[in-house]
């Protein structure tokens, strides 16, 4: 599961949720923004980051978020690679994350149910609108696109016109499910003039669930910063999603999302 959310300068950052994975390299690991914590908390996750904004630092402490900050860890727990430029080159591994978590006496297992209600029965959205090509403009210079492949029944990801591939394997980045959630963002008035963003993740938001070439409108309901988001049909029934990975595209409320 991957969340993509807007940050300063009209850019976005990705937050991946890993469960039961064994990965030798995870990255690049970037600094925290406070509203990302809401989605780490609802997944009962250990939040891994490399630095933080002042708001994120404050919220991590006040909310009691189990977190690992690469800046304060050793260069063997987090390290910088040479094939990317800083600050995009800090990485870690699953093994290191678990070691650091144990050192801090964090829980490394969870009995909390998934945020999403997965099903192994193939879901085809009979009454949905066509969604073979999806365009999600986060800002004037940052557009995410997804292209459906009928043979694989998966979506291929593009960002800023470039097809996205895995760092080392060069395999295409694809998704089985895409959730779009519209949330109003605004510039944080923190006196630092760095264009940091803020948003209220709680409440009921509009969105789409997209899979197998179709999209349906949904409601995204989150009652508190730590509670799970419930993704529901417009009449309030919690949706089931296809087994497979999911990208949650949390985009500006006025984004001109297009599908065909």
């Amino acid at each position: 599961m991957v969340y993509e959310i807007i940050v300063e300068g009209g850019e976005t950052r990705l937050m991946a949720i890993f469960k039961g994975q064994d990965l030798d390299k995870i990255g690049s690991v970037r600094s925290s923004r406070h509203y990302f914590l809401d989605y780490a908390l609802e997944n009962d996750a250990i939040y891994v980051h490399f630095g933080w904004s002042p708001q994120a630092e404050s919220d991590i402490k006040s909310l009691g978020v189990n977190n690992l900050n690469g800046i304060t860890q050793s260069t063997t727990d987090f390290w910088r690679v040479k094939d990317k430029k800083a600050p995009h080159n800090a990485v870690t591994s699953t093994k290191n994350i678990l070691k650091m978590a144990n050192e801090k006496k964090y829980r490394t297992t969870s009995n909390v149910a998934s945020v999403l209600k997965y099903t192994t029965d193939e879901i085809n959205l009979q009454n949905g609108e066509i969604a073979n090509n999806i365009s999600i403009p986060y800002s004037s210079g940052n557009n995410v696109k997804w292209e459906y492949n009928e043979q694989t029944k998966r979506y291929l990801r593009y960002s800023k016109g470039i097809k996205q591939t895995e760092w080392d394997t060069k395999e295409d980045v694809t998704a089985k499910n895409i959730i779009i959630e519209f949330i109003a963002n605004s510039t944080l008035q923190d006196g630092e003039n760095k264009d940091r963003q803020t948003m209220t993740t709680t409440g009921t938001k509009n969105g789409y669930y997209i899979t197998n070439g179709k999209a349906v409108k949904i409601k995204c309901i989150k009652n508190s910063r730590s509670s799970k988001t419930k993704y529901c049909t417009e009449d309030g029934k919690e949706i089931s999603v296809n087994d497979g990975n999911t990208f949650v595209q949390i985009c500006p409320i006025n984004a001109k999302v297009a599908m065909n």
Side-chain angles (χ1 to χ4, degrees), residues 12 27 37 49 86-87 93 117 140 143 148-149 159 170 172 200 216 218 227 232 238 244-246 251:
T12 54
L37 301 174
H49 56 105
S93 68
K117 187 178 177 183
S140 59
N143 194 28
Y148 184 59
N149 184 313
S159 180
K170 306 305 178 186
D172 293 339
T200 301
V216 292
I218 60 172
S227 66
C232 301
E238 188 173 5
N245 69 324
T246 301
C251 65

Side-chain angles (χ1 to χ4, degrees), residues 116-118 123 179 208-209 216-218 230-234 237-241:
L116 294 172
K117 187 178 177 183
Y118 288 101
I123 294 173
I179 290 174
Y208 289 96
Y209 170 50
V216 292
K217 291 182 178 180
I218 60 172
K230 285 186 67 175
Y231 300 99
C232 301
T233 59
E234 291 190 292
K237 182 181 178 182
E238 188 173 5
I239 65 170
S240 296
V241 303

Side-chain angles (χ1 to χ4, degrees), residues 3-7 12-15 31-41 47 199 201 225:
Y3 294 84
E4 182 166 22
I5 315 177
I6 197 164
V7 293
T12 54
R13 289 190 180 175
L14 303 173
M15 185 179 78
S31 59
S32 174
R33 297 295 177 265
H34 62 288
Y35 41 90
F36 282 77
L37 301 174
D38 303 24
Y39 302 102
L41 286 167
Y47 185 68
M199 61 177 61
T201 65
R225 292 188 68 181

Side-chain angles (χ1 to χ4, degrees), residues 51-79:
W52 43 27
S53 66
Q55 296 76 24
E57 179 182 11
S58 175
D59 284 1
I60 283 173
K61 293 176 181 177
S62 65
L63 294 170
V65 180
N66 286 354
N67 76 104
L68 299 170
N69 184 358
I71 285 182
T72 60
Q73 297 294 142
S74 74
T75 54
T76 56
D77 291 331
F78 288 80
W79 67 97

Side-chain angles (χ1 to χ4, degrees), residues 173-223:
V173 174
T174 64
K176 181 63 178 178
N177 305 297
I178 300 165
I179 290 174
I180 297 175
E181 182 175 354
F182 297 97
I183 300 182
N185 62 291
S186 60
T187 300
L188 194 64
Q189 301 302 313
D190 59 359
E192 294 195 3
N193 298 318
K194 293 186 176 180
D195 194 43
R196 292 193 186 103
Q197 299 297 293
T198 189
M199 61 177 61
T200 301
T201 65
T202 55
T204 300
K205 318 293 184 182
N206 294 321
Y208 289 96
Y209 170 50
I210 303 167
T211 193
N212 289 352
K214 291 285 189 71
V216 292
K217 291 182 178 180
I218 60 172
K219 298 292 184 181
C220 311
I221 305 166
K222 187 171 172 66
N223 293 324

